[in-house]
Amino acid sequence: MRSAKDQRVGRRVLLIVGFLLIAANLRAALTSVGPVLDMIRRDLGLTAGEAGFIGTLPLLTFAAVSPQVPRLARRFGTDRMLWAAMVALLAGIVLRSLPVTGLLWVGTVLLGAAIAVGNVLIPSMIKRDFPDHIGAATGVYTAVIGVIASTAAGIAVPLAGVLPGGWRAALGCWAGLALVAIAVWAPQLRRSGMPEPETLKPRAPWRSPLAWEVSAFMALSACGFYTMLAWFPSIVVSTGTSEDYAGWMLFVYQIVGVVMSIVVPLLLTRLPDQRLIAAGGSLLAMLGYLGLLFAPDLAVVWALVTGIGAGTLFFLALAFFSLRAADPRSSASLSGMGQSIGYLFAATGPVAIGALHDATGGWTVPLAVLVGVAAVHTVVGLRAGRDAHVGV
């Protein structure tokens, strides 16, 4: 018969594995779309605008759903909400892959809503279950997201070429990963307690200056990341290089960001707060934009520099939802607010930069704007990175 200690260790291991599986599911369904977008467009007869909206719709869904998640978590419990999110994600992936055009949009909204729940509640869960290892847990979480997201993007086209269902099968295969997460997370449902008493509910953080600073940091981090994800290859191609080379530069940008998710937590333990790291990440991003502006031939250098900056900023944006919160309940509320604002801003950033490119006929003005955004990001980071907490 297993001892009580063995049972506790077993439950802890199952919790960690389930946590990592949920993290693995939070981007693959999104990043696998871009590489096969032209296939989807040709197959369904979509316009360029309609095809582009497939990528924007999940971000808008994040913005709409995120503020509602803390209230639902207080009512049903964090663990049940995470499990239900994986079920909804499974349903959304399957619906999106069925040969019915309308279900492409229904499935995209459903999986976007499911991912929004995970985005909001994972920082709260980290605050609750790993209070003494917030930096390390967030680093592993963001690293898993980055690795799986990059993998999903990299294998999408090959899968579409060999699987019988083409792009539908390439997108639908990620339902298997969601199914595994559902099964592994199911035992956590037993520890979901009763809904929290009214007196324990945190105040809405919308009136807190610190909450706005954290939200602004998230917004600027997401805007920079998604803008570069959308336009970095085009910027590199405009210098006269091949599309293959530009694709590899985007890979470098992303993989360096994953590495920073592992490195930055090691730095956090040596510093009294995160102001220096936040400002440093913003300044590195600014240096990368300036490099692309004045020395675009050194694309590989600027891919490394911007990747280090973006990886640092993305990690901190997620970590702040735990670090700046007093407890798991306020963490969920802060995360809901920050991710709503952040992803709404992220949805408009790539569109605005693309419009600037079309209006000016080049990348000089868009890159100059990104330099200005990074300067603002530096100031915001100095505020959001100080050692303080959003009150409950």
Side-chain angles (χ1 to χ4, degrees):
M1 186 175 179
R2 295 176 63 190
S3 66
K5 181 179 179 180
D6 289 340
Q7 290 177 349
R8 287 195 299 272
V9 171
R11 286 195 295 268
R12 188 69 171 175
V13 170
L14 200 59
L15 170 68
I16 293 171
V17 174
F19 160 65
L20 295 177
L21 280 168
I22 290 174
N25 275 280
L26 295 183
R27 290 296 180 275
L30 303 179
T31 58
S32 56
V33 173
V36 298
L37 195 57
D38 283 342
M39 299 181 194
I40 297 173
R41 182 182 173 187
R42 289 194 301 268
D43 188 27
L44 301 181
L46 301 178
T47 65
E50 289 169 341
F53 194 59
I54 296 174
T56 304
L57 187 56
L59 299 181
L60 296 176
T61 306
F62 292 171
V65 173
S66 294
Q68 316 305 322
V69 176
R71 176 178 57 83
L72 294 171
R74 288 195 298 269
R75 180 174 180 182
F76 299 107
T78 296
D79 300 304
R80 287 179 182 150
M81 284 296 297
L82 286 171
W83 186 83
M86 292 298 100
V87 173
L89 178 64
L90 172 64
I93 292 172
V94 171
L95 288 175
R96 184 180 64 176
S97 303
L98 294 176
V100 179
T101 301
L103 293 181
L104 171 69
W105 306 104
V106 174
T108 299
V109 170
L110 185 57
L111 66 86
I115 293 172
V117 173
N119 286 341
V120 171
L121 293 184
I122 285 292
S124 175
M125 179 200 159
I126 290 174
K127 184 75 172 181
R128 181 192 69 185
D129 294 324
F130 310 102
D132 298 325
H133 305 283
I134 289 175
T138 305
V140 172
Y141 160 56
T142 52
V144 169
I145 285 179
V147 169
I148 300 300
S150 300
T151 301
I155 67 175
V157 173
L159 285 177
V162 299
L163 294 178
W167 66 265
R168 295 184 188 276
L171 299 183
C173 69
W174 293 103
L177 186 60
L179 189 60
V180 174
I182 291 168
V184 174
W185 192 252
Q188 306 303 328
L189 302 182
R190 293 177 297 193
R191 67 171 182 165
S192 295
M194 297 298 291
E196 297 176 12
E198 191 76 19
T199 56
L200 292 181
K201 292 182 180 179
R203 293 196 304 267
W206 295 90
R207 295 183 180 180
S208 166
L210 178 57
W212 278 102
E213 289 158 4
V214 170
S215 298
F217 190 87
M218 172 65 186
L220 293 168
S221 300
C223 180
F225 176 77
Y226 282 103
T227 297
M228 291 303 286
L229 203 63
W231 295 116
F232 191 67
S234 298
I235 294 172
V236 174
V237 167
S238 70
T239 66
T241 62
S242 68
E243 291 183 354
D244 285 346
Y245 179 78
W248 278 111
M249 291 304 96
L250 183 61
F251 174 79
V252 170
Y253 169 79
Q254 290 183 279
I255 206 67
V256 170
V258 172
V259 173
M260 294 312 297
S261 298
I262 300 171
V263 173
V264 175
L266 302 178
L267 301 177
L268 292 186
T269 60
R270 302 174 182 273
L271 297 171
D273 56 41
Q274 298 81 44
R275 288 177 294 180
L276 182 61
I277 299 177
S282 301
L283 290 173
L284 282 171
M286 182 191 298
L287 178 61
Y289 302 147
L290 287 169
L292 288 170
L293 189 58
F294 293 109
D297 291 341
L298 300 176
V300 65
V301 175
W302 310 129
L304 288 168
V305 172
T306 54
I308 292 172
T312 300
L313 296 171
F314 181 64
F315 165 81
L316 283 180
L318 296 176
F320 280 161
F321 296 137
S322 301
L323 293 170
R324 296 287 84 88
D327 54 46
R329 296 183 302 277
S330 55
S331 176
S333 294
L334 179 60
S335 182
M337 173 182 171
Q339 301 215 37
S340 175
I341 294 171
Y343 284 114
L344 182 61
F345 202 66
T348 59
V351 176
I353 292 298
L356 273 176
H357 170 266
D358 291 344
T360 60
W363 290 108
T364 300
V365 173
L367 285 169
V369 169
L370 288 174
V371 170
V373 169
V376 174
H377 206 169
T378 304
V379 176
V380 173
L382 290 172
R383 296 290 301 172
R386 69 192 193 279
D387 187 15
H389 296 94
V390 174
V392 296

